[in-house]
Amino acid sequence: MPASPLGKIKMASQVTAILLLILGWGPLPWLAPIGHAALWVVMVAAVASAVDYYRRFQRLLNARVTD
């Protein structure tokens, strides 16, 4: 099953959140709160992506059973 657009959004948001947190730890401390907010975006994207993959997998299994 290929990666869905939601999976790609999840990955991009994860990378962005981690980058903001790393930069907020040291040289740019004002980025840390933005990084924490970005983690919530990651959480929403992860749940949405998981639901999407589950639905797609169920459709795939149901198609194989009926064939």
Side-chain angles (χ1 to χ4, degrees):
M1 194 171 356
S4 72
L6 280 173
K8 293 176 183 182
I9 290 170
K10 179 185 68 90
M11 179 62 188
S13 64
Q14 288 172 330
V15 170
T16 302
I18 296 300
L19 176 64
L20 290 169
L21 290 171
I22 289 172
L23 290 175
W25 183 270
L28 304 169
W30 56 272
L31 287 177
I34 300 170
H36 287 184
L39 285 177
W40 285 102
V41 173
V42 169
M43 183 62 116
V44 169
V47 170
S49 177
V51 169
D52 179 56
Y53 275 112
Y54 179 77
R55 286 182 174 170
R56 290 171 58 202
F57 186 67
Q58 285 298 337
R59 272 191 249 132
L60 183 66
L61 284 180
N62 289 338
R64 287 187 180 176
V65 169
T66 58
D67 286 344

